[in-house]
Amino acid sequence: MDWPELRDTVVACTACKLCEGRRQTVFGVGNESAHWMIVGEAPGEQEDIQGEPFVGKSGQLLDNMLRAIGLTRGEAEPSKQVYIANTVKCRPPGNRNPEPAELAQCEAFLVRQVELVKPKIIVAMGRFAVQSLLRSSEPIGRLRGRVHQYQGVPLIVTYHPAYLLRNLEDKAKAWEDLCLALEVSRPAAGP
Ligand code: URA
């Protein structure tokens, strides 16, 4: 599937019961050739209304963190603009956690988004992104701080911004994670 076909398939998807409560699907945003890909969890209320990932409070924190390392979801060249997608494209009712069957149904869309973007680095935010991409149920604290691989792309695990809003003491660790991702995404310096 190319981008238009993938987008249309997501818009029309009724593969799980999340379609019953959504206002709209939330596909993804950013440069389709971005060097960075950010993967979150699922749309919340604001995302369901606006049709864009991470536009609520956790999105503001994410944007601030990205800005601090020179990245943006707004218009920019591929090396400066991120592509942001969620593991699940429809809002779970009441912002409950996505269920395993819902994650499984939606996974192919994210897989194809990664294939099409071909990022140089993926940042997986929170446990559901990690479950989908790394097939791991280990806590974030055990997985962060090192470089994983997803389809041959380096992947960094970090805390979800919504978690950081509730646990300010872990913000410094998230900052370290972004700095690690920055280091990994940069081409090695020549001699
Ligand atoms: N949390 C996410 O993981 N994704 C969103 O789009 C919004 C909140």
Side-chain angles (χ1 to χ4, degrees), residues 26 39-44 47 52-56 58-59 84-86 125 160-162:
V26 178
V39 179
E41 179 181 317
E47 291 76 22
E52 182 171 326
F54 281 108
V55 287
S58 50
I84 307 175
N86 281 316
M125 299 191 142
H160 191 282

